[in-house]
Amino acid sequence: MKEDKEEENIDITLEQLEGTEIQHVNNPIVGLKPIEKRFLGAVKEVKQHNNKYIFSDGSASVEIMVVSDEIIKVRLAPHSVFLDEFSYAVPALDQKVAVFTFSEDDTHYTVSTNTVSCLVNKENFHISFADINSKLINEDYLAMHWEENVQFGGYYVYCTKKSYPEEAFYGLGDKPTDLNLRGKRLQNWNTDTYSFAKHQDPLYRSIPFYISLHEGVAHGIFMDNTFKTHFDFAHEDAGKTSFWADGGELQYYYIHGPHMMDVVKRYHTLTGTHKLPPLWALGYHQCRWSYYPESKLHDLAKNFRSRKIPCDALYLDIDYMDGYRCFTWNKKYFPNPKKMIKELSDDGFKTVVIIDPGIKVDDNYWVFKEGKENKYFCRRSDDYFMEGHVWPGRCQFPDFTNPEVRQWWGGLFKELVDIGVAGVWNDMNEPAVFGSGTFPDDVRHQYDGHRGSHRKAHNVYGMQMVRATYDGLKKLQKSKRPFTITRAGYAGVQRYSSVWTGDNVASWEHLKLGSLQMQRLSMSGVPFAGTDIGGFSGEPTGELFTRWIQLGVFSPFMRAHSAGDTAEREPWSFGTALEDINRKFIELRYKLLPYIYSAFWEHHRYGFPILRPIVMLEQENKTNKYREDEFTFGDKILVCPVLEEGATSRKVYLPVGNWYDYFSHQALAGGEEHQVAAPLDTMPIFVKAGSVIPEYPVMQHTNEFEIEELMFQIYFSDYEVNSFYFEDHGDTFAYEQDIYLEKKFVVNGDLKSMTIKQSVEGLFTPRYETYDLKIIGLPFLPTKVLIDGKEYLGELKFDELKRVRVKASKHFRQIVITK
Ligand code: GLC
């Protein structure tokens, strides 16, 4: 109720209030004096400190900081006292600041970089951003404003921008709603939302970052504020976009485009990227609440291997523990976990275990005792412990915002790592509490020395938990890359973890929502995301499960998971016909692993999102603003999942350029829609002309064998196209010392010839020596192939799929194929 009231206040009063110093509006807390709503007044003074300009209206101050050529940060201090510069999202603002200038005319102060100008209106303190041609991209509609929080101290802080007709909005994390957020009002408050519904808000994660697209030009706004935050995208008023927070400082980054891709990449320069995951983490994962006892795991493993369905990881949900006590084992179900994990590992399966934040109150339980003795658990404002019921019953909760607690927590994984556990799944870390939902607002947090109530720490609690997990695993596993998965998160969570979209439902609607959520997470800086394949609650039909597996092939994180009260749900659970299709698609995931892995590298190294909605590829095309049922994985493969029950064909839009059907190799023209066949045993997937797509042979798990020869599918193009391929050890951090190979291929051709060039960077030496190149779509039968000037002596002919096969040394520089 309280929030609704506050929102109403804004609805009614904002416009009338601006320009006046103090306004009294109804205080939502009954019985307290009216809240004073204040707006910035005219600018009276400006001072410079290096790359920061402090503007003052005589009472409040605004800091404008040049972060980079394309990023400008704005902060508001209602009484001119800025808070400590500390952010969980942006670990270091060590951006290189290029040339910037300051100027003043009758109406404005202007801070300019080489690409963007920030204008401050002297009279009304409106802040706007313009490009190099003085075209306004983003403008305040109202001056920044605030109201005092009489209960907790601090302020509710508001920013209202102009919204332009047809301006589209994207991002904001995991919202299960239309891709374009125009017309919506949404909030960020991490919430355990079992069986969430379409449009439900908020869900598990808080990513207060959005991308605006107007007349083909994009920019981003990242409000780095961990309190409950709100975004109104032309909902209350078609002419306004507002964002506000229930506390903390109003600080936001303006991120220049003009391309949506650039906005996302620049957002990653602030919040970091996902490091390379271990290669095995990109395989197929099988999970359920819960697989126990031990014999169940062995059966499962046997089934995968005997049915020849590839799989890399099996999960243990909460029942592996003794009474749901984290870091313990139920010895009845798992008498010798080390032996079991070793046997699974010998068969190529990694074991991933769940760990929740709630620690059972039990003086005979070592984790509770250590936490209690060291005062690591959260307390209320009157010093009582924060207690709540979760799976183990009465629990206390570590304060993960305390670095000492994170260190302790990280160390608790020692035994699990020693016995061979390969990955950790962090759940319930919104934090979730049965009954009340989450912690009361007054719980205190250390907040890395910057203290705060739960209002401030709530949205980062889960991220700090998985950070502790990641850092702990990294230390314990020495040179191996940790694998973590978290349900809750805040902006920057990608530095520590993959995510899944939480407790979805086995329905066609949720299949669609999953596709949307993954695309949205990807463009919100959280690339390594997946849904519970099949739906967590409820029963999928075999058809729905198979369609979900197909989408899963192109989910950065591919895991099937189901609730305990559902029927067993493995790839073979729906009869042999569907098992065969599921196998075919899981095999496809494994074939494409080197491509998928390269897309993760491109993300880590260059900040590219892994999934890219169509609007990101062709943002000038207005009709793309609402296209949300297809996306590319990396920049070469277009994925058109079948999301309708009973469908045997679907409409696809191919972006401008030439495309090939992945399965049939049929060439199709881009820039238009096509109706394509999509019976249940297939799924429309297209490859961009000119692409060089690496493929592995089918393997049962990523460590099954070494690649003896690397296969590439090379798609003819009559214009030049670049492709990247990345490889390294697959599980170490040696890539940070340049022990990797990044190969660049350039393909071009015409009606008589085709050229493939390769250049290589990095120091890694793969075991294989040769490439098996399969050239697709050649408009002529070649008579001659020159590899680095030498004639190729192998046979040249089209195979049944009209491919020409050429074997070449992995060191080739140039191949010329002629008619
Ligand atoms: C939560 C998780 C779910 C898990 C269950 C039991 O509902 O979201 O994935 O299986 O708890 O641990």
Side-chain angles (χ1 to χ4, degrees), residues 289 317-318 354 391 425 427 487 500 503 536 561:
W289 176 16
D317 205 328
I318 47 175
I354 196 167
W391 305 121
W425 166 24
D427 187 22
R487 198 166 70 176
W500 91 105
D503 295 343
F536 180 69
H561 183 38

